Amino acid sequence: QAQLVESGGGLVQAGDSLKLSCAGSRRAFITFPMAWFRQAPGKEREFVSHISWNGGVENYADFAQGRFTISRDNAKDTVYLQMNSLKPEDSAVYYCAARTRSYSSFQYQSGAEYDVWGYGTPVTVSS
């Protein structure tokens, strides 16, 4: 059974850093693409970052490029999101997601492509 649990969120000041973790069962990590999404209150869920099953490919939203870094350690069943230079507009609940179903190609920026989700970890950045 695939399960994902995010951690590492909290309240920080603008310019600070946070490292989010996404831990799960082995079923959730082996050969599966992983991604981070976020959703602020009253706003639509948006893509943050994606990483291929072996960590060979990374993709970032424009707002995350140069500030956020996604990584994974399949041996530890964990995916990370290092967030630097945080801004108030980064405040949101951050979700980890995995695509466990087979596919030929998929739109990694779309939340609809992922079938396993964690419950989220809130991040609040004060000014």
Side-chain angles (χ1 to χ4, degrees):
Q1 179 179 349
Q3 289 184 303
L4 300 173
V5 180
E6 304 94 335
S7 63
L11 174 63
V12 298
Q13 296 182 359
D16 286 354
S17 298
L18 279 175
K19 187 174 184 178
L20 307 183
S21 296
C22 174
S25 63
R26 192 66 172 168
R27 179 69 179 84
F29 287 90
I30 300 178
T31 72
F32 301 137
M34 303 288 293
W36 288 93
F37 289 79
R38 71 184 188 184
Q39 187 168 25
K43 295 185 177 180
E44 190 173 312
R45 179 177 59 192
E46 64 180 341
F47 168 78
V48 177
S49 184
H50 156 265
I51 189 167
S52 60
W53 71 271
N54 63 351
V57 178
E58 300 170 24
N59 297 280
Y60 299 93
D62 289 342
F63 66 80
Q65 187 69 50
R67 295 193 299 129
F68 296 1
T69 302
I70 189 171
S71 61
R72 69 189 297 163
D73 188 338
N74 288 347
K76 296 182 179 180
D77 297 330
T78 305
V79 174
Y80 306 96
L81 183 68
Q82 176 67 49
M83 304 187 293
N84 299 326
S85 302
L86 285 165
K87 306 173 181 179
E89 53 262 43
D90 292 320
S91 297
V93 176
Y94 284 71
Y95 298 92
C96 180
R99 182 182 175 95
T100 66
R101 299 189 297 177
S102 61
Y103 62 92
S104 296
S105 62
F106 77 110
Q107 187 177 357
Y108 61 80
Q109 294 177 290
S110 174
E113 296 283 0
Y114 300 87
D115 57 301
V116 179
W117 293 79
Y119 290 111
T121 184
V123 173
T124 302
V125 185
S126 64
S127 59

